[in-house]
Amino acid sequence: MLNLNKKTLRFYDEIDLFKPAYVDETNQYRYYEESQIDEIKEIIRLKNIGISLEQIKIITNKMNGASLETIYQERLFEIDESLKLLTKQKELIINEQRCTTRENDDENDCIVDKGYFIEQGNVYYRNIHCEMDQLNRFMSEFYENVKGKTLRSGHILKMSLADDAKDICEIFAYTDEDEKDESVRIQEKEMCIKVACNKVEQRENGYKSLFDYAEKSKTIIHNTYEKYNMKDGQMHLEIICSIA
């Protein structure tokens, strides 16, 4: 009637939770009476809400003046604690999945954004013509010659797209200084497309994403910039292309 198997009923009998009305002495068959149905239903109900068999014994035997309300409150507390733990575990899994997805995306395609990523303003600059592997020497000179100027941004490299030119043609950073200083010029704002690389090693994929986007959208690229900044102890790169 209640879909309980013989093994469960035998176990309940052994632990003195729910005993048969009588046992046949000859064959040891257990017999139950109709009046016991409500009792076993209550045991099943309590078990379904997660109350332990030991606590159910206390409730059904009315031992130690056990309060059902107290046991309910204890069970609700246990459920709340379990929910907190499960929620935390769920968040950890979701965050791990996001990180894995982001890493996979970074290794393949970068997301291309469009906007005025090169802003209007005064910039402290230095013209250079060097390959990427020669950059460190020019970077040192760039910062050594700042001479008390306040820079409002990290350095940005202006790259050359000409086949016969060096990789880098200028280093600049935004500043509050005015253009009276010969090392300061006005930078006009430029409509751009941009990709963000969480690792410098993704530079090649970043360029590929930008040029693929430009080709598909029939967009002309004018200038190319690389903007570097340190985040969480790791160097991040933004590749920016000004467009028509």
Side-chain angles (χ1 to χ4, degrees), residues 59-75:
I59 296 168
T60 54
N61 294 329
K62 297 182 173 53
M63 297 165 57
N64 301 325
S67 165
L68 186 58
E69 183 61 30
T70 300
I71 291 175
Y72 279 165
Q73 291 303 318
E74 289 174 357
R75 180 58 187 149

Side-chain angles (χ1 to χ4, degrees), residues 141-155:
E141 293 177 2
F142 177 78
Y143 282 104
E144 284 171 6
N145 293 326
V146 170
K147 293 180 180 177
K149 297 180 179 66
T150 302
L151 304 183
R152 292 191 291 105
S153 71
H155 65 269

